[in-house]
Amino acid sequence: MISKAGNALNGHLDHRNPLVFDTRELGRRPGALKRLSRSVEAPGSPVLGIDGVIGVPEGAPLELDLRLESVMEGVLVTGTARATAEGECVRCLEPLTVEVDADFQEMFSYPDADDRGRPAGPADDAEDDEDRFFLEDGLFDLESVLRDAVVLALPMQPVCKETCAGLCSECGIRLDENPGHHHDAVDIRWAALQGLAETVQDGEKDNMGGAEPGVDEKQEK
């Protein structure tokens, strides 16, 4: 897994990437603001969401509304992502779609500034940078922040409807389409006696098909 700091400082961001944004217009003037909207295609590999459960398909429309604010230590990015996620109901396994509104806020720091906005000194702990995002030549990549926000906005156990009855645990039939469906339950404590009764009944039927004992002997005499 690439660290947040390493992704920014060593990744050489490509301004042609639709999830890479330019903050150079803001300069380093605290309080400077920029609002923008952008329609992009959802990234893939892995899916934007919860893998194997629900997510925004790769290439699906993704609407972004962002607010960029210059502060002492970097650029504060606040925004909302809107998209349609696809998955399946955890109860009945039918396909479903969910409209996603994911809100996020993240600080993208200047590479040469610490948390107080002053130039970073050599004694600063490099491990602290692992939990921070950095600007690279005034650019930042929103993908990692976006992935985290979408995952938090999605249901962990999506259902097609709150009243979904799911599937029959014995035969797998969909219960919403068969509301009267049921299986007769047999008490296991009586199962052995029931089998014995059936055996006795079968023996009685066999005896009814033959002659009574001694009848043939009387007829021969």
Side-chain angles (χ1 to χ4, degrees):
M1 180 177 179
I2 301 175
S3 70
K4 298 176 181 179
N7 189 43
L9 298 175
N10 302 319
H12 304 295
L13 301 182
D14 185 352
H15 69 277
R16 294 169 297 182
N17 183 331
L19 290 177
V20 170
F21 295 83
D22 193 339
T23 70
R24 286 173 292 190
E25 184 178 322
L26 293 174
R28 288 201 178 191
R29 302 183 307 275
L33 295 174
K34 180 179 180 181
R35 297 180 185 273
L36 56 88
S37 296
R38 183 178 295 184
S39 180
V40 302
E41 293 183 354
S45 302
V47 68
L48 188 63
I50 306 171
D51 193 24
V53 179
I54 189 170
V56 181
E58 182 176 1
L62 184 65
E63 302 297 329
L64 299 174
D65 292 316
L66 303 180
R67 178 180 183 269
L68 314 183
E69 180 181 2
S70 178
V71 294
M72 288 293 294
E73 61 269 31
V75 176
L76 181 65
V77 179
T78 306
T80 300
R82 298 181 180 86
T84 301
E86 298 179 0
E88 65 178 27
C89 177
V90 295
R91 297 178 187 170
C92 68
L93 307 182
E94 288 294 307
L96 57 78
T97 58
V98 174
E99 297 303 316
V100 183
D101 280 353
D103 297 323
F104 52 86
Q105 185 175 75
E106 188 62 59
M107 171 67 69
F108 288 86
S109 302
Y110 299 123
D112 58 350
D114 64 11
D115 291 333
R116 296 170 297 282
R118 299 194 299 268
D124 286 18
D125 190 352
E127 292 184 0
D128 292 342
D129 290 345
E130 296 293 329
D131 297 324
R132 298 170 61 189
F133 289 95
F134 287 88
L135 295 167
E136 180 188 329
D137 295 329
L139 304 176
F140 69 86
D141 188 345
L142 191 63
E143 182 172 339
S144 182
V145 174
L146 185 61
R147 287 188 179 280
D148 291 344
V150 169
V151 168
L152 291 175
L154 288 170
M156 297 297 292
Q157 294 188 320
V159 292
C160 58
K161 58 182 180 180
E162 292 299 327
T163 58
C164 177
L167 305 176
C168 174
S169 60
E170 295 191 36
C171 66
I173 195 170
R174 193 171 181 223
L175 297 178
D176 277 351
E177 297 176 353
N178 301 271
H181 176 76
H182 71 281
H183 294 271
D184 293 330
V186 178
D187 192 328
I188 59 173
R189 293 173 297 178
W190 297 101
L193 292 178
Q194 182 178 354
L196 179 61
E198 291 174 353
T199 302
V200 171
Q201 290 175 358
D202 291 342
E204 291 176 350
K205 290 179 182 179
D206 292 340
N207 290 335
M208 290 175 63
E212 294 182 1
V215 171
D216 293 341
E217 295 179 0
K218 293 180 181 179
Q219 288 179 349
E220 289 177 359
K221 293 179 179 178

